Amino acid sequence: MSDPRTAAPSRRDVLRAAAVLAVAAGLGGCGKSDPETTGGQVTVDLWHGQTDTAKKALDALIAEFNRTHPDIAVIGGGGGVTADSMLQKVTAGLAAGSYPDVAYIFGSDLASITRSPKVADLSGQLQLDAVWPAAKAAITVKDKVRAAPALLDSLCVVYNKKLFAAAGLPAPKAGWTWDDFVATAAKLTNPAKGVFGTGWPGVGDEDTVWRLWPMIWDLGGDVVSEDGKKVGFEQAGEQALATLDKLRTDKSLYVDPKPGGEQLYQVFLGGRMGMVATGPWQLPDILDRKLDYGVVPLPSYSGKAVTISGPDTWTVFDNGSARVKAATEFVRWMLDAQQDVRWDLQGGSLPLSTTTAALPQWKKHAAETSGLQVFVDALETARVRPTITAYPQISEHLGTAIVSVLLGKKSPADALKECVEQSNAVLAVPS
């Protein structure tokens, strides 16, 4: 999924990871000399892929770090690609023996990239006591801390108050069910006015898939079984897909045919969609359009709140001990609440820690931004996708299943059966 803070968000394009797994697994190679210095400073090459407001915020933080750490010079060139393409860029660099000291890596890609021995182990190097559990889980691979948290989000439902009023519907409230969601979407739908109840990405990428995991978790399923030998969503997945199928047959669902959910969000921003599951990165665009909106937690089957978070990471690479030490110092500094709150306010992240969330600057920002606190509160029950190398391929198979249901090409049972067989075959191959 792309950087959530861009104007046209495309959350995580995990599927491209599958194409590079084999390459990443065998990476060793040679890196840069230890240490590389410029005028007595240790140079840290940072590839971040941020654009627009987020880049401006990061540039300011890098400048302050360099000013307050005269022995280190962080060069934030960005790597020449956006965050969406960073995994490919870094993987190619590792294969060629020319790679950064720090890169912005999506959390769902971390397990894949850590197959390279050049990814530093940060266990014991970061202060993580107050970091949200979802962020800690996203940086942990095989019980080792392999990165620092860089960005945090959560998934909730944003709704259009004007469309709810026009349909004579009360605003949704925390504790609502997926049956409530389906019924509400049907009542919001107005074909004569081109209004849809809700929408879902329909290209089979990670943006299509990650929205289904909270539904599966809520039903007692999981991405993989406890022993890791098979998927854990054989029953729960069918019920979750049946919910999508009901939205389809009710004709209340807009299926976005383009990657990144660009059209889906444009339909919502244009006032022609009643509800959309999204993250806090969408709020600036909603505010710019001056939509009268509200934010509510995701529905559930069980009555218990559950959502998903898709944290991103600062991953450190080994270009020698001096540069690893300097790079680690930089990501540790970024994690500190005083820097984190600036990054959150200007770059678009939720607070990485409860310490940051308690700062007056964040509290003021949350109070002034309608619905933002709902996304923060959702972090209490947020889960993340497992940091396993097989995940991108499982996601690809589940994405195909979801699209086949969204387009009415297969029943939930048939689509899931094929997905489970393909995913179990992936898990049967030793990683």
Side-chain angles (χ1 to χ4, degrees):
M1 303 176 243
S2 78
D3 189 309
R5 292 156 291 171
T6 59
S10 163
R11 277 296 292 141
R12 302 283 188 279
D13 194 1
V14 163
L15 300 186
R16 60 170 55 98
V20 300
L21 284 175
V23 177
L27 295 176
C30 55
K32 302 167 188 175
S33 59
D34 175 23
E36 181 174 317
T37 61
T38 303
Q41 296 175 316
V42 178
T43 301
V44 172
D45 191 11
L46 171 66
W47 294 1
H48 57 72
Q50 306 301 302
T51 60
D52 303 324
T53 304
K55 181 181 183 301
K56 183 178 179 181
L58 186 55
D59 286 345
L61 285 163
I62 291 170
E64 180 171 338
F65 178 85
N66 288 340
R67 180 179 60 80
T68 57
H69 296 74
D71 295 334
I72 303 173
V74 176
I75 301 174
V81 296
T82 62
D84 273 352
S85 300
M86 190 60 69
L87 178 65
Q88 293 167 304
K89 175 78 173 182
V90 172
T91 300
L94 287 167
S98 179
Y99 45 88
D101 299 294
V102 183
Y104 187 93
I105 300 292
F106 294 151
S108 49
D109 291 338
L110 185 62
S112 299
I113 206 73
T114 57
R115 296 175 73 171
S116 166
K118 290 301 180 181
V119 176
D121 184 352
L122 300 186
S123 299
Q125 300 298 308
L126 306 173
Q127 178 52 257
L128 300 173
D129 290 348
V131 170
W132 292 101
K136 284 191 279 190
I139 60 173
T140 304
V141 181
K142 295 182 178 179
D143 299 323
K144 292 183 178 181
V145 175
R146 304 309 304 272
L151 178 140
L152 191 60
D153 58 20
S154 63
L155 198 65
C156 293
V157 172
V158 180
Y159 62 94
N160 185 315
K161 291 184 178 180
K162 182 179 179 180
L163 292 180
F164 268 73
L169 295 170
K173 296 181 179 180
W176 61 328
T177 68
W178 280 107
D179 284 343
D180 295 332
F181 183 91
V182 170
T184 300
K187 292 174 182 176
L188 286 165
T189 300
N190 187 334
K193 295 184 177 180
V195 174
F196 294 88
T198 189
W200 202 283
V203 296
D205 61 3
E206 184 61 15
D207 201 29
T208 303
V209 173
W210 83 306
R211 301 158 188 268
L212 201 73
W213 292 126
M215 302 166 74
I216 288 172
W217 290 330
D218 183 37
L219 290 164
D222 210 337
V223 180
V224 296
S225 61
E226 193 171 338
D227 62 11
K229 295 181 179 180
K230 59 183 180 179
V231 298
F233 54 87
E234 190 165 358
Q235 280 77 41
E238 183 176 344
Q239 187 172 343
L241 288 176
T243 299
L244 298 190
D245 197 43
K246 184 65 168 68
L247 289 166
R248 179 191 66 83
T249 56
D250 285 349
K251 298 182 179 180
S252 59
L253 185 68
Y254 174 82
V255 180
D256 190 343
K258 290 193 174 182
E262 291 187 38
Q263 291 189 359
L264 182 155
Y265 290 120
Q266 288 306 314
V267 172
F268 182 81
L269 292 171
R272 295 190 298 110
M273 184 180 292
M275 307 178 290
V276 63
T278 189
W281 65 84
Q282 198 64 44
L283 294 184
D285 286 344
I286 293 171
L287 290 167
D288 285 345
R289 293 293 185 96
K290 294 181 169 52
L291 288 181
D292 189 9
Y293 73 96
V295 182
V296 67
L298 288 179
S300 74
Y301 298 100
S302 67
K304 298 178 181 178
V306 63
T307 190
I308 188 169
S309 180
D312 296 336
T313 77
W314 296 119
T315 302
V316 175
F317 297 86
D318 187 355
N319 280 301
S321 58
R323 294 178 67 166
V324 169
K325 181 179 179 181
T328 303
E329 177 64 21
F330 173 70
V331 299
R332 185 187 298 121
W333 183 83
M334 286 287 289
L335 183 57
D336 181 84
Q338 293 302 319
Q339 282 70 249
D340 180 33
V341 73
R342 289 175 55 190
W343 174 238
D344 300 336
L345 297 183
Q346 300 169 32
S349 176
L350 295 180
L352 294 175
S353 67
T354 54
T355 302
T356 305
L359 291 177
Q361 303 98 301
W362 175 262
K363 287 185 172 182
K364 180 175 184 293
H365 176 62
E368 293 173 347
T369 307
S370 178
L372 183 57
Q373 190 61 39
V374 179
F375 289 103
V376 178
D377 292 343
L379 291 172
E380 296 281 358
T381 61
R383 294 178 59 176
V384 298
R385 292 151 290 186
T387 50
I388 57 174
T389 56
Y391 179 78
Q393 295 173 75
I394 294 172
S395 173
E396 182 176 5
H397 296 312
L398 184 56
T400 299
I402 293 171
V403 172
S404 68
V405 171
L406 291 175
L407 299 181
K409 294 183 176 180
K410 290 183 180 178
S411 69
D414 289 343
L416 191 71
K417 182 176 183 293
E418 183 175 355
C419 167
V420 168
E421 290 173 351
Q422 294 169 327
S423 299
N424 284 344
V426 170
L427 292 167
V429 180
S431 60

